[in-house]
C-alpha cells in the first residue's frame, strides 16, 4: 500500500479555501447561466429550485420541480438547457427531479462527443 506522508497533504486551510472558491464558482456559474438564458428559460428556471454543483470536475445543473406542470415544461426544454449548458462546460449533466410520486427523475449526461447539433437546434 502507498501512503502519503502528512507533509505532502494539503493543509486544512488550503482545503477550506478550495471549498470556498468552488462554491463561489458554482454561484458565479449560476448567475452567468441565468443571464445567458432567454426569457422563457428564465421563467422556467424561476418556477423551480435550481442550482449548480461541481462534482469531480463535472458541472451538474439540478432542477427540482415543485409541481407536475413545471416538471413537464422543464423536460420539454431540455434541448435548450443542454445547448446553453454546453457553453459553460464540455462535460456536464442535468438532473431534473419531479414532485414526489408524480414523475420520473432524470439525469441527462452532456459531453462534447454526445452533442447532436440537429437535436439541440430546437
Amino acid at each position: 500500500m502507498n501512503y502519503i506522508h502528512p507533509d505532502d497533504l494539503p493543509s486544512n486551510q488550503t482545503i477550506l479555501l478550495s471549498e470556498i472558491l468552488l462554491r463561489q464558482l458554482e454561484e458565479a456559474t449560476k448567475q452567468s447561466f441565468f443571464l445567458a438564458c432567454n426569457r422563457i428559460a428564465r421563467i422556467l428556471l424561476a418556477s423551480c429550485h435550481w442550482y449548480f454543483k461541481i462534482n469531480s470536475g463535472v458541472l451538474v445543473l439540478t432542477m427540482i420541480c415543485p409541481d407536475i406542470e413545471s416538471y413537464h415544461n422543464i423536460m420539454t426544454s431540455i434541448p435548450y438547457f443542454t445547448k446553453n449548458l454546453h457553453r459553460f462546460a464540455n462535460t456536464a449533466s442535468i438532473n431534473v427531479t419531479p414532485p414526489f410520486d408524480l414523475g420520473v427523475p432524470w439525469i441527462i449526461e452532456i459531453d462534447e462527443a454526445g452533442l447532436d447539433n440537429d437535436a439541440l437546434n430546437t
Side-chain angles (χ1 to χ4, degrees):
M1 283 195 224
N2 290 333
Y3 290 103
I4 298 175
H5 192 274
D7 290 343
D8 294 330
L9 295 173
S11 69
N12 288 339
Q13 184 177 7
T14 300
I15 292 170
L16 179 60
L17 182 59
S18 293
E19 290 173 1
I20 291 169
L21 291 172
L22 190 61
R23 299 303 162 249
Q24 289 177 343
L25 177 61
E26 291 166 349
E27 187 59 34
T29 302
K30 180 180 179 179
Q31 292 172 4
S32 296
F33 181 81
F34 186 79
L35 292 174
C37 287
N38 64 26
R39 187 178 70 80
I40 293 171
R42 288 180 185 182
I43 291 169
L44 291 175
L45 288 170
S47 74
C48 62
H49 175 69
W50 66 283
Y51 57 91
F52 279 103
K53 279 291 191 196
I54 300 172
N55 293 329
S56 301
V58 176
L59 184 63
V60 180
L61 169 58
T62 299
M63 294 181 270
I64 302 169
C65 304
D67 55 53
I68 200 68
E69 182 181 358
S70 65
Y71 175 72
H72 287 300
N73 291 336
I74 291 287
M75 291 305 294
T76 58
S77 300
I78 289 297
Y80 175 82
F81 288 118
T82 300
K83 183 178 181 180
N84 205 22
L85 185 58
H86 183 65
R87 296 170 56 189
F88 292 85
N90 290 333
T91 303
S93 69
I94 299 174
N95 299 345
V96 182
T97 304
F100 183 73
D101 280 346
L102 292 178
V104 177
W106 285 92
I107 299 175
I108 299 103
E109 301 292 332
I110 303 166
D111 63 11
E112 192 169 15
L115 285 177
D116 177 0
N117 289 332
D118 293 334
L120 298 180
N121 288 329
T122 59

